[in-house]
Amino acid sequence: MVYRLEAVRHGYDGRTVLAIERLEIVPGVTALVGENGAGKSTLLRLLAGIEAPRRGRVLFQGKPLTCADRRRIGWVMQHPYLLRGSALDNVMLGLRFRRGGDRRRRALAALETVGFRADPDRPAAMLSGGQRQQVALARCLVLEPEVLLLDEPFSHLDAATQRWLEGWLPAWAVQGRAAVFSDHAAERCRILARQVIALSQGRLVPAPAANVFRGRCEGNRFLTKGLALWLPEPVTATHVAIDPRDIVLSLRPLQSSMRNRFRGRVVALAETGGEVRVTVVAGERFEAVVTLASCREMGLTPGQPVWVNFKSTAVRTF
Ligand SMILES: Nc1ncnc2c1ncn2[C@@H]1O[C@H](COP(=O)(O)OP(=O)(O)OP(=O)(O)O)[C@@H](O)[C@H]1O
């Protein structure tokens, strides 16, 4: 195990933004997924040792994380800060305090590893967002870290570089190494990562971070702002989550045992790898995943009325 978090509470200005009772991160690729402000970057900063939690412990390879461990952990920020000078200067900079000669050769090799195709002597100020990400990644890799923490690494990359990173990340995170990245694309997280950590409002959620609604329980109903959902049994909870794959869309009310049925309207459709993610507003904003074939069969288009159906047992509470 690479990390273990125990009873961690962290926040700013007296506000708790992260509350994690227990979390273990294993070697390989781990994805952090959640809405804007869910706490992904905050968690990455704790894993990087840049900030210490207000309460609780972050263990790194079984021992409390210390400043000395920081040199074994590479951290690439969402908006990497590059210094003046060339791309190559930026990568060589990290090697200033490291032993071993031929810093230029090592830095060039790191740039090549991350697929940097521009002139290494090009001033950093003239690089694109994606190239800056690559330089920041190379600057980490040249220090040969055991762990890589990447904050939304895909967000500024063009399609080709995204594909490159999708292939590179799992290939790097082998032999005990760990890579943790945050992302908004739940699909990519599921494909790339061995472990997906879903966060919502600073808490771990036991489901993909889609269809997470806040509210209160009343018997075996859960009341959100816009809906009353059926639960299998009365519980106490402040949130519910429904896996998008547990939602059945239909053009007419279904004759079935599914107790949760809501009439709504399609607002967006996004195709990924033979599947379509359909966003429907039906009291709340739902995401459902359907096959391309059934999407075509139903003739789903934005604005179309549809029914959102799911079983009470598909509603997870926490
Ligand atoms: N330095 C800070 N000072 C005050 N509040 C902060 C600070 N950093 C983060 N926060 C707050 O903590 C919460 C979690 O923020 P965080 O950046 O970790 O979320 P995130 O999941 O990474 O979001 P995004 O996907 O938008 O980057 C937010 O409400 C944010 O406003």
Side-chain angles (χ1 to χ4, degrees):
M1 186 201 325
V2 184
Y3 286 103
R4 192 159 85 212
L5 274 67
E6 295 174 350
V8 162
R9 298 280 180 287
H10 195 56
Y12 308 95
D13 312 321
R15 188 167 68 97
T16 299
V17 301
L18 203 62
I20 296 179
E21 266 337 294
R22 193 180 172 86
L23 173 65
E24 290 180 354
I25 296 179
V26 293
V29 179
T30 295
L32 275 182
V33 65
E35 76 278 355
N36 287 124
K40 303 181 296 294
S41 306
T42 305
L43 176 54
L44 285 172
R45 285 197 294 274
L46 296 187
L47 298 180
I50 304 292
E51 291 174 23
R54 293 264 162 90
R55 276 167 49 197
R57 302 203 300 168
V58 177
L59 303 181
F60 178 63
Q61 295 177 342
K63 299 195 194 103
L65 180 65
T66 63
C67 282
D69 293 320
R70 274 163 58 172
R71 55 185 293 151
R72 297 160 65 192
I73 302 169
W75 182 48
V76 183
M77 290 188 279
Q78 196 172 347
H79 304 286
Y81 180 72
L82 299 186
L83 300 170
R84 275 168 50 185
S86 68
L88 189 61
D89 291 336
N90 271 274
V91 182
M92 279 168 44
L93 194 75
L95 289 171
R96 254 188 327 176
F97 304 111
R98 294 278 168 114
R99 293 211 182 117
D102 212 352
R103 293 192 293 137
R104 187 180 163 87
R105 189 190 49 78
R106 287 160 70 189
L108 282 171
L111 280 170
E112 195 180 326
T113 303
V114 302
F116 184 81
R117 298 275 167 266
D119 177 2
D121 292 318
R122 190 173 193 152
M126 289 171 63
L127 299 176
S128 71
Q131 289 167 338
R132 294 173 70 83
Q133 285 273 358
Q134 288 178 313
V135 171
L137 184 54
R139 187 168 62 185
C140 267
L141 289 179
V142 80
L143 301 175
E144 299 176 4
E146 294 159 46
V147 174
L148 256 187
L149 305 173
L150 307 164
D151 201 350
E152 297 196 24
F154 293 96
S155 57
H156 300 291
L157 302 184
D158 59 39
T161 318
Q162 277 189 10
R163 274 197 302 279
W164 168 81
L165 187 58
E166 285 169 5
W168 183 84
L169 211 49
W172 182 83
V174 291
Q175 297 174 343
R177 288 185 192 146
V180 184
F181 75 99
S182 64
D183 204 347
H184 287 279
E187 244 67 65
R188 180 161 48 218
C189 293
R190 274 187 223 113
I191 293 165
L192 279 190
R194 172 178 175 186
Q195 183 180 11
V196 177
I197 298 169
L199 278 176
S200 181
Q201 296 169 17
R203 305 213 275 166
L204 295 180
V205 292
N211 304 321
V212 177
F213 307 128
R214 200 182 192 147
R216 65 189 164 85
C217 292
E218 244 182 55
N220 57 350
R221 311 294 311 263
F222 186 86
L223 310 180
T224 72
K225 260 192 196 152
L227 286 178
L229 307 182
W230 286 102
L231 305 174
E233 57 192 9
V235 288
T236 307
T238 53
H239 294 76
V240 291
I242 303 119
D243 190 318
R245 287 168 205 283
D246 286 336
I247 293 180
V248 176
L249 297 180
S250 62
L251 296 179
R252 280 169 284 282
L254 284 184
Q255 299 296 318
S256 93
S257 60
M258 284 186 270
R259 297 191 80 183
N260 290 298
R261 302 169 197 189
F262 305 106
R263 193 160 195 275
R265 203 170 277 280
V266 175
V267 293
L269 296 144
E271 192 193 325
T272 42
E275 290 183 330
V276 183
R277 184 165 282 263
V278 187
T279 309
V280 178
V281 171
E284 296 288 349
R285 196 179 175 87
F286 285 96
E287 275 189 24
V289 174
V290 298
T291 62
L292 195 53
S294 59
C295 182
R296 285 198 184 127
E297 212 169 283
M298 286 198 282
L300 294 179
T301 49
Q304 185 176 4
V306 282
W307 286 79
V308 169
N309 310 276
F310 49 94
K311 292 180 178 174
S312 59
T313 49
V315 183
R316 305 196 201 168
T317 52
F318 53 100

